[in-house]
Amino acid sequence: MPSSIISVLFLALFVGSSNSSPAPIGSSSFSRRSILRDISTDEIKGDYGVELNVTNFDEVLRETPATYAIVEFFAHWCPACRNYKHHYEKVARLFNGADAVHPGHVLMTRVDCALKINTELCDKFSVSHYPMLFWGKPSKFVGGSWSPNQENSEIRQIDDGRTAERLLNWINKQLGSSYGLDDEKFENENIQANASDAEQIARAIYDVEEATSTAFEIILEHKMIKSETRASLIKFLQLIVAHHPSRRCRKGSAELLVNFDDFYPSETLSNSKEQPIVSGKESVLHDIHICGKEVPRGYWMFCRGSRNDTRGFSCGLWVLLHSLSVRVDSGESEMAFTATCDFIHNFFVCEDCRQHFYEMCSSVSNPIKNTRDFVLWLWNAHNKVNKRLMKDEASLGSGDPKFPKAVWPSKQLCRSCYRSQKTDDDGQIDWDEDEIFKFLVSYYGTTLVSLSKDKEELLNDVSNKVLVKDVVATTNAIVVPIGAAFAIAVASCGFGGLAWFWRSRQKNRKYKHHPLKSI
């Protein structure tokens, strides 16, 4: 037997028998057999457990949309930990990542205590052996700690999770679920399709972020920023910075907008048919994650379809547009309407959808005078799209059987929105638009963010308010009417903050010194 293999076996046996051995998850212990057993079969490809360290631990757990979190403390040199990773990943793939089978329920993370940077973090949680697992609501881990003698702690040590089967069984007991290791995406899934449950929209805060991130990824991938589209993107970015329901999307889009002239100078765009990127800026551009770089992306919650090819991005984009519409002030409603129409026309890659939407925009003969006009126009446009797609999906069988297209809102969601319980001979509904407006403002406004992990900061983010004024003034190609731009700025902060931030911004335009680089 080669000496290297003997050395590895000796080390494993030594660690397994030592008093300082990698201890169990909980009070049980891993046997030598479990440390040395072959785990090459049923291989799990990729890392689904989210790697954390002291620099991103609080941020990730603060921002995750998941209801619960598991944190595994381990050491990379520990043989038991290396073997246990296979079990942990089998469970993590159910909840984490783009192919998550049951997204949004449990965020599964890992912290390597063998790294010196994490020593203090591991000490805060009294890590006494490896691997060691904890369960709790994500917010309880933020700035939190744990000790064996702590009473009434909302963070719990997982006492029986030494194999994938036992860990998932433990999770199922906490959630009252019946998830299985063999579950596949969009199968064995209890899709929540109860249209009468208005509180479901609160799950969409993550989907609005996902849709925003996806939209800008498409724009970059398809090289869609050109001289004729540059101004419309700037206007829509302004709208997002001022009114996006997610704080991290406001901050990320502000970072992009503040640096927009560096990435896409107007004079260079006008002389080039292709999207230019200034030398040395390409890597920086792709480092700007418009809705936060620390949040695992790739799945939908509120907009999750019962099939892989339904809902998702299109649903998330509609929720984004509605959530923006209810937040604009009346003085900026015309600008917001134009920015939305131009954004879809220039950057939505579904050709038929793009054309239909712009036809609806072009058919508007009277100015959008106030927030109510804009909100109701968008609601009416959405229903027109649904009616058109209802016919197409009925004839082609392409719709989602659990989420068929329908006029909206339903009577279950808003009975007061219907003046009459009957439709006329042409199938038209007698809507009460005053009630519709009140419902939309509540549904896409207050209710949408009601379960946000950071809703106080969503409403009271002073630093972001300063940025709003900065980005409204910073880009030299801005074509928003000055009154509308001023309305956005005034809605967010005072002149003093603008003056201070803008002066400091001009003193140092280098991206590496930008105050939001770490978001």
Side-chain angles (χ1 to χ4, degrees), residues 101-252:
V101 185
H102 307 291
H105 298 291
V106 183
L107 176 70
M108 298 187 63
T109 67
R110 311 175 78 234
V111 175
D112 187 354
C113 292
L115 300 179
K116 290 184 178 180
I117 190 176
N118 294 325
T119 298
E120 184 176 348
L121 177 61
C122 296
D123 287 344
K124 286 176 62 178
F125 287 88
S126 304
V127 177
S128 58
H129 54 262
Y130 307 127
M132 195 172 181
L133 271 62
F134 292 96
W135 166 277
K137 291 186 176 181
S139 60
K140 301 304 177 183
F141 286 97
V142 178
S145 61
W146 181 88
S147 63
N149 300 321
Q150 186 175 350
E151 295 183 2
N152 302 321
S153 174
E154 296 186 76
I155 296 174
R156 299 169 54 193
Q157 185 183 0
I158 296 179
D159 56 9
D160 187 10
R162 70 167 69 182
T163 66
E165 292 79 5
R166 293 171 74 163
L167 177 58
L168 185 57
N169 183 56
W170 196 95
I171 294 171
N172 280 330
K173 287 181 180 179
Q174 313 311 310
L175 300 179
S177 54
S178 56
Y179 302 139
L181 293 174
D182 295 329
D183 290 356
E184 296 297 333
K185 194 173 184 180
F186 301 106
E187 296 179 7
N188 303 316
E189 179 71 21
N190 182 23
I191 299 290
Q192 296 182 357
N194 185 3
S196 64
D197 183 6
E199 294 300 319
Q200 282 195 45
I201 189 64
R203 294 166 57 84
I205 189 69
Y206 179 87
D207 289 4
V208 175
E209 295 177 342
E210 185 73 20
T212 307
S213 298
T214 301
F216 280 88
E217 286 172 4
I218 291 172
I219 289 171
L220 292 178
E221 289 172 3
H222 288 262
K223 300 184 183 299
M224 301 173 76
I225 305 176
K226 301 176 181 178
S227 57
E228 64 271 22
T229 63
R230 183 178 187 270
S232 64
L233 181 59
I234 290 170
K235 287 197 298 182
F236 195 71
L237 280 168
Q238 288 178 320
L239 190 61
I240 290 177
V241 171
H243 298 300
H244 201 289
S246 165
R247 180 179 65 93
R248 56 177 167 243
C249 291
R250 295 200 301 271
K251 291 176 70 176

Side-chain angles (χ1 to χ4, degrees), residues 316-334:
L317 189 59
W318 273 115
V319 177
L320 168 63
L321 297 181
H322 285 300
S323 68
L324 292 172
S325 74
V326 301
R327 287 171 170 79
V328 301
D329 293 331
S330 289
E332 53 187 325
S333 56
E334 178 69 23

Side-chain angles (χ1 to χ4, degrees), residues 201 239 242-245 318-330 332-333 336-337 340 370-379 408 436-449:
I201 189 64
L239 190 61
H243 298 300
H244 201 289
W318 273 115
V319 177
L320 168 63
L321 297 181
H322 285 300
S323 68
L324 292 172
S325 74
V326 301
R327 287 171 170 79
V328 301
D329 293 331
S330 289
E332 53 187 325
S333 56
F337 166 74
T340 300
N370 50 49
T371 305
R372 184 180 184 276
D373 288 349
F374 182 34
V375 170
L376 291 179
W377 176 84
L378 189 63
W379 159 75
W408 193 88
I436 288 286
F437 177 63
K438 288 194 295 185
F439 167 77
L440 293 171
V441 169
S442 174
Y443 191 74
Y444 288 110
T446 306
T447 311
L448 175 64
V449 299

Side-chain angles (χ1 to χ4, degrees), residues 238-303:
Q238 288 178 320
L239 190 61
I240 290 177
V241 171
H243 298 300
H244 201 289
S246 165
R247 180 179 65 93
R248 56 177 167 243
C249 291
R250 295 200 301 271
K251 291 176 70 176
S253 55
E255 181 179 8
L256 175 58
L257 193 50
V258 164
N259 291 279
F260 202 87
D261 285 338
D262 293 339
F263 298 139
Y264 304 105
S266 56
E267 62 275 9
T268 307
L269 279 165
S270 61
N271 296 326
S272 175
K273 295 182 179 180
E274 296 296 327
Q275 170 185 300
I277 298 178
V278 179
S279 177
K281 296 289 185 180
E282 182 172 6
S283 60
V284 175
L285 177 64
H286 289 283
D287 283 341
I288 295 179
H289 299 261
I290 198 164
C291 286
K293 63 183 178 182
E294 302 294 358
V295 181
R297 296 283 172 204
Y299 59 80
W300 304 95
M301 295 176 65
F302 175 81
C303 287

